[in-house]
Amino acid sequence: MANIATLTDGVLQRNPAWAQLLGLCPLLAVSTSVTNALGLAFASMFVVIGSNVSISLLRNFIPQFARLPCFVLLIATFTTVTVMFLEAYAYDVYTRIALFVQIIVTNCMILGRAEAFASRQRVGAAFLDALGTGIGFAIALLALGAIREMVGQGTLFADLDLLFGPWAGSFAITISETEPLRLAQFAPGAFLIAGLLFAFVNALRSSTSKQKSM
Amino acid sequence: MLRSLITLACIGLGAGSLLVVSNELTKERIDANRFAQTRQLMAQMLGEDLPKEVDLETLHRCQFSRQTVQGYAGSIDLLGLWRVNQVSLRVTRHLETPGIGTFIDHTRNPWMPSQDAKSQSQWANLDTVSGATITTNAIKRAAQSVFKDMSEQSCG
């Protein structure tokens, strides 16, 4: 049961986006559409799982004084591998989000999980923690991506074929034909929508925890 | 101490080999993707489809010139089209700062297409974009290299 708690904690209680406010730079920059958000979500999840598992495996060998350089080296390795595979197999998405995939290295969400959890726990727990963190980040990315795409472009799931091949192209939905609110596509819109979304989620969380305590 | 050093060396070696393996696995596809992108861009700049079996070498020598210049945050790869003493440029790869140096990316900003078909002196006297002096200067250098390349070629 403790394992399930590790997983759900990462998704809900310690969600990197709305509970810890970590990794906001790529979150706000890339969540302009569902396709871009999915691309970054996959990339981040792969890196956080890879780094957490390898750091947990090596936790008894990594010398204490050099642990941060080791963590960063491992995270950078997994990020570079992700960048290579993304460029090879999803080139169009890569050209749109390349820069933000590369800076996953400096995403404090990943280094945070490595230092606070993976370096002290068994491999299984570290894997579940990484999976939970990755899913939590993906949910936040997708929610923001969906809202910003609907409001800012008037579409949903557009260009999914760039990620999954031609069969996914038919998922694209046009929500409205009228001129969309372009603000949602730019940085100020990202902050506004993310702020409202996080406030909504946190209000929901505090109201459910109050009910529990009563 | 020695034990720590050996451990660190092993971790470095492991990470390095992982990179080598994935580079080997993806290199061919990445090159093919970049080649396809360059072809598409050439067709766009010419305003007509390239013949299927076009000899890229010939095209390169007489109309197109590929340049790599140093930008603010890394190298910028460009494709230059030369037509009767006028040069148009497109960026194929760059690492400039988003929102500051990315105006050179034609997929995000109409700046580069608005500079199309400029003469050598027009490129030399290009207005610097404020906040991005190094990026603008890199583009100016690239344009001059295209003119230099073309003046050295002898194309019928």
Side-chain angles (χ1 to χ4, degrees), chain A residues 30-169:
Chain A
V30 171
S31 59
T32 48
S33 74
V34 173
T35 306
N36 291 358
L38 257 181
L40 187 77
F42 280 135
S44 305
M45 195 174 313
F46 176 76
V47 175
V48 74
I49 290 176
S51 69
N52 252 21
V53 167
S54 57
I55 286 165
S56 174
L57 278 172
L58 295 167
R59 69 185 186 282
N60 294 327
F61 302 101
I62 294 175
Q64 188 62 18
F65 68 89
R67 66 184 196 288
L68 281 178
C70 282
F71 296 166
V72 174
L73 174 74
L74 288 168
I75 295 168
T77 307
F78 282 105
T79 308
T80 314
V81 170
T82 316
V83 169
M84 285 178 188
F85 275 91
L86 205 62
E87 190 173 1
Y89 293 97
Y91 191 73
D92 289 313
V93 173
Y94 168 80
T95 52
R96 284 200 263 164
I97 65 171
L99 197 89
F100 298 98
V101 176
Q102 282 158 3
I103 60 168
I104 288 179
V105 181
T106 53
N107 191 329
C108 26
M109 165 185 103
I110 293 167
L111 191 61
R113 290 334 288 160
E115 167 78 4
F117 199 90
S119 59
R120 290 150 208 210
Q121 300 282 338
R122 288 169 191 279
V123 178
F127 172 77
L128 285 175
D129 178 68
L131 193 66
T133 307
I135 293 173
F137 192 57
I139 292 174
L141 260 171
L142 286 177
L144 258 183
I147 297 173
R148 289 180 67 191
E149 191 181 340
M150 280 192 284
V151 179
Q153 290 181 16
T155 59
L156 194 58
F157 306 126
D159 299 333
L160 263 188
D161 49 323
L162 300 182
L163 213 53
F164 297 111
W167 62 272

Side-chain angles (χ1 to χ4, degrees), chain B residues 111 122-123 125-129 136 140:
Chain B
W111 184 84
Q122 279 176 314
W123 274 112
N125 294 321
L126 201 64
D127 274 345
T128 300
V129 175
T136 322
K140 284 161 115 172

Side-chain angles (χ1 to χ4, degrees), chain B residues 34-54:
Chain B
R34 288 186 186 163
F35 180 70
Q37 188 212 20
T38 308
R39 267 192 72 116
Q40 206 188 351
L41 201 59
M42 283 177 161
Q44 249 177 40
M45 289 173 83
L46 279 173
E48 58 194 77
D49 284 344
L50 297 180
K52 270 227 168 63
E53 291 300 320
V54 70

Side-chain angles (χ1 to χ4, degrees), chain A residues 177-208:
Chain A
E177 298 289 343
T178 53
E179 181 65 21
L181 187 65
R182 290 272 171 224
L183 174 72
Q185 288 286 300
F186 298 113
F191 277 104
L192 288 172
I193 295 172
L196 291 172
L197 192 70
F198 294 168
F200 176 70
V201 173
N202 285 332
L204 218 61
R205 281 171 62 205
S206 64
S207 74
T208 49

